[in-house]
Amino acid sequence: MTKTAGQDHGSGRQAPGLGRRSMAGNLAAQGAAVCVVFVASLLVARLSGAEVLGEYALLRVMPWLTGVVVSCGLPLASAYFLAGEQRDDPRLRPTLALLAVAGSAAGALLWLAAVPLLDRFFTTVPRWQLTLVALTVVTQLLTVWGKACCQGQADIRGANLVIVAEEFLFLPAYGLALLAGLHGSGAVVAGLVGGGTAATATSLGRLARTGFARGWGRPSAPLAAEVLRYGARGQLGNVLMLVNLRLDFLIVGALSGPAMLGVYAVASKFAELMRLPAVAMHYVLYPRFSRDGPRLAREEMRRILPRATALTAALVPPLVGASVIALPLLYGRAFQGAVVPACVLLVGLAVEGAAAVSTAYLFGVGRPGMSSWGMGAGVVVTVVLDALLIPRYGVVGAAVASSIAYLITTAVLVTLTRVVAARGTPSRRNRHAHRIRSLLRRTPARPRRLHRRRARGPGGAHSPASVAADPRRGRDHAA
């Protein structure tokens, strides 16, 4: 993959560098973020115990999920539209900003309304602290939205900065909360609110620095509806992917108890290191395919797909060897049982590179719903095999079920991608982009063309003579 491989929609301009260097940088940022989360989890576990650690994990995920779902997948759609044909539309960026503000407010209100129900999940968190967590719905959505806008504008360096900042900034905020005398869930909530606010400032500050607010027009309601439709179709696939990744956790915990769940969680988290290169590929290729346009994106996808598959497959043997050595060494002999599930999961994740390229292509050419079909197939397999294998084989059965589900999901995604590529993806011009192009192309060298219809007879109402006599009957196709 070359650094500047794509032509910008046939305009002759090369798209910004979205190649190997960008993928390597994003992989480094993702790895740094994972390390920061590990350190933060270790600190919370040491200082506050396992129960607060579990609530910290939920408080990191649930506000984010609330904001993203309520906003109909706005971050996903923002990256697509800012990288695509409408990126120069002066109405696009103010429309996205307005949707981000509205989604943040709606998500926070939904969280506040659900606080009485959340008491069941957070037994050590007082209700007033859960109410304060509504602020993190706002900060997390705005942070993720700003990061997606950087991604769509090919500012991968800025996106990487936000990826690391949104995890790292929890640590100083948590430390200040401890120094102020807070402890337990109070310190965690204060760290999430303070760190989230700083991460939002970092994300929006990066957008301001790169000129996101320059040349704004008026927000467009039809454009907003189009953004939300795309985001909703794509977000369905992301939710299904989360179900595919974590449903086995719920079943193992219910059937085998917390001890076996802990063993399986260690195995799963280790195996998911395989996903880091795939996430970096998807993160860079998604806006790259959108900028390339359908024809060039199809050529790039066909060239990159086998290479990405070979890359992740080649990582399986060293990670299998590392699991045999590292898991008992890091976690103790009590977690020896995590080795076999980790190895089984790595087999299923061996083709994760193909899944990453396929979903990036489907998103990039405006077919996010096809990706959701692939994820849905994986969920069906996960549900059926979990019910059959976990009661009999425990964590090994859960690993086998997930591994098969990963393989089938990837097979479906690759098949759908090849079908879309073979049929040819029509240009993603919508009425807004087409209207702008029509206005730009009306020059003296290219005058407006009158709408012509076949005459119904001599002197008919739609004959060329009647159109010439009455210019008001001439209608431009784009009018």
Side-chain angles (χ1 to χ4, degrees), residues 387-410:
L388 292 175
L389 299 179
I390 292 178
R392 185 171 183 179
Y393 300 105
V395 294
V396 175
V400 171
S402 294
S403 190
I404 294 174
Y406 296 154
L407 292 172
I408 291 178
T409 299
T410 301

Side-chain angles (χ1 to χ4, degrees), residues 155-302:
D155 180 19
I156 300 300
R157 183 176 298 179
N160 293 342
L161 172 66
V162 179
I163 287 172
V164 177
E166 65 181 330
E167 304 297 351
F168 173 78
L169 290 172
F170 168 79
L171 294 176
Y174 182 61
L176 290 174
L178 293 173
L179 292 176
L182 297 176
H183 56 85
S185 62
V188 167
V189 171
L192 289 171
V193 173
T197 302
T200 300
T202 302
S203 181
L204 299 183
R206 181 69 185 190
L207 289 183
R209 182 180 176 184
T210 54
F212 184 81
R214 295 174 190 164
W216 278 20
R218 298 181 61 181
S220 167
L223 185 55
E226 188 178 353
V227 169
L228 294 178
R229 282 195 297 270
Y230 179 94
R233 286 183 291 148
Q235 191 57 37
L236 175 61
N238 286 346
V239 172
L240 291 173
M241 182 181 69
L242 288 175
V243 173
N244 202 13
L245 287 173
R246 294 294 176 257
L247 179 63
D248 49 0
F249 277 43
L250 298 177
I251 299 178
V252 169
L255 297 180
S256 302
M260 294 305 295
L261 176 59
V263 171
Y264 185 67
V266 167
S268 181
K269 290 295 184 181
F270 180 85
E272 287 174 10
L273 291 174
M274 175 74 80
R275 298 192 69 243
L276 290 180
V279 169
M281 291 181 211
H282 180 276
Y283 203 86
V284 173
L285 290 176
Y286 169 29
R288 172 172 164 175
F289 287 153
S290 185
R291 285 177 176 269
D292 284 347
R295 182 187 61 79
L296 190 55
R298 181 169 61 249
E299 296 173 3
E300 288 284 282
M301 178 275 296
R302 288 171 174 167

